[in-house]
Amino acid sequence: MLMRLGWRRHALSSARCFSSAATTSATATAARQCVAYRLGSVEYETAWDWQKQLIQQRIVAAREEKPIANDVVLVLEHPSVYTLGRGATMANVRFDPQVDTQHKLIRVDRGGEVTYHGPGQVVVYPILDLHHYKKDLHWYLRQVEEVVIKTLAAFDIKGERVDGLTGVWVEEEKAAGDASNSSAYERDMRKIAAVGTHATRWITMHGFAINTTTDLSAFNQIIPCGIDDRAVTSIERLKPNVTTKDVERAAIAAIQEVFGVDMTMVEAKSPL
């Protein structure tokens, strides 16, 4: 099913890309076409393979001077799985994958440490050719965080960056007796979205995952992103009536706004 988003927004005012303020939208003389595929529940390995195939298609097309005119965004959910980034250490994994076959663990080619994906989590993989935006991976990472912040804002949730850390965080009131966060911090900032990216010839893959109705106990099996003194949270804890479908739509709209693309939304079984 095809659905053209029924509105367009213009670029945001500029801001320094490394500050905690809102970053700029990526704009061009004409809006680049982008297709967002809503794919439902997909095994991690399948989605990873799709991303690699989509990138390879674009590399081959560029080599043959027949560039593909549109970018792609995969929007989906994974069955329970733990993933390790390129340089991640097993020290942040609290189970032995050789013994505990109940938990699936995969090492992948994104940056970052170990994280969890599972039901109730909205996962978004932008396949964007940065030649049409800005060839700067630090800039791109900040833009992805901005997409998450705008997605959360659609539900009146204030997402924030934390200096020195990737991802998006929200502040929660600390309940009496809650020892899940270090008393060394003045604010109880909890991670609501993980961000991890990779690029080949300036074409991006991987992306972000927003805990929506996620079972947060799954994070007890790891030290999420290698950060042992801050807790994770979900949209459900803050806004119980928000569904994953709501978050998918908001994330697609946020990508359209932040990257200045002309977005088409498709419900499909595969993006290929």
Side-chain angles (χ1 to χ4, degrees), residues 221-241:
Q221 299 296 326
I222 59 173
I223 300 174
C225 302
I227 304 168
D228 62 1
D229 59 354
R230 291 187 185 268
V232 295
T233 191
S234 66
I235 289 177
E236 184 177 43
R237 283 172 59 98
L238 305 169
K239 301 287 181 178
N241 295 325

Side-chain angles (χ1 to χ4, degrees), residues 101-116:
T101 56
Q102 177 184 354
H103 298 110
K104 189 174 184 178
L105 180 68
I106 304 172
R107 186 174 290 277
V108 299
D109 55 355
R110 62 164 173 79
E113 279 287 342
V114 65
T115 194
Y116 168 77

Side-chain angles (χ1 to χ4, degrees), residues 2-15:
L2 292 175
M3 186 173 84
R4 176 79 65 179
L5 293 188
W7 49 269
R8 297 282 303 282
R9 295 185 183 176
H10 297 290
L12 303 173
S13 59
S14 62

Side-chain angles (χ1 to χ4, degrees), residues 147-217:
V147 167
V148 176
I149 289 169
K150 288 187 174 296
T151 301
L152 296 173
F155 309 105
D156 296 320
I157 298 172
K158 184 181 180 182
E160 300 181 54
R161 298 177 179 88
V162 172
D163 288 345
L165 301 175
T166 58
V168 176
W169 307 71
V170 297
E171 184 174 11
E172 288 192 16
E173 291 186 10
K174 192 169 183 178
D178 184 356
S180 62
N181 199 21
S182 170
S183 60
Y185 297 108
E186 293 182 2
R187 303 172 67 200
D188 186 3
M189 300 299 292
R190 300 185 179 218
K191 195 166 196 175
I192 198 167
V195 175
T197 63
H198 177 66
T200 301
R201 300 189 185 181
W202 297 109
I203 303 172
T204 67
M205 64 185 296
H206 299 296
F208 62 90
I210 302 176
N211 298 329
T212 304
T213 59
T214 318
D215 178 2
L216 298 180
S217 68

Side-chain angles (χ1 to χ4, degrees), residues 88 108 122 138 219 223 256:
V108 299
V122 173
H138 293 288
F219 287 94
I223 300 174
Q256 174 167 311

Side-chain angles (χ1 to χ4, degrees), residues 125-144:
Y125 297 134
I127 313 298
L128 306 183
D129 186 343
L130 295 184
H131 289 93
H132 299 280
Y133 303 93
K134 185 174 182 178
K135 293 191 293 184
D136 184 328
L137 294 181
H138 293 288
W139 170 87
Y140 174 68
L141 185 64
R142 300 288 84 80
Q143 298 301 104
V144 171

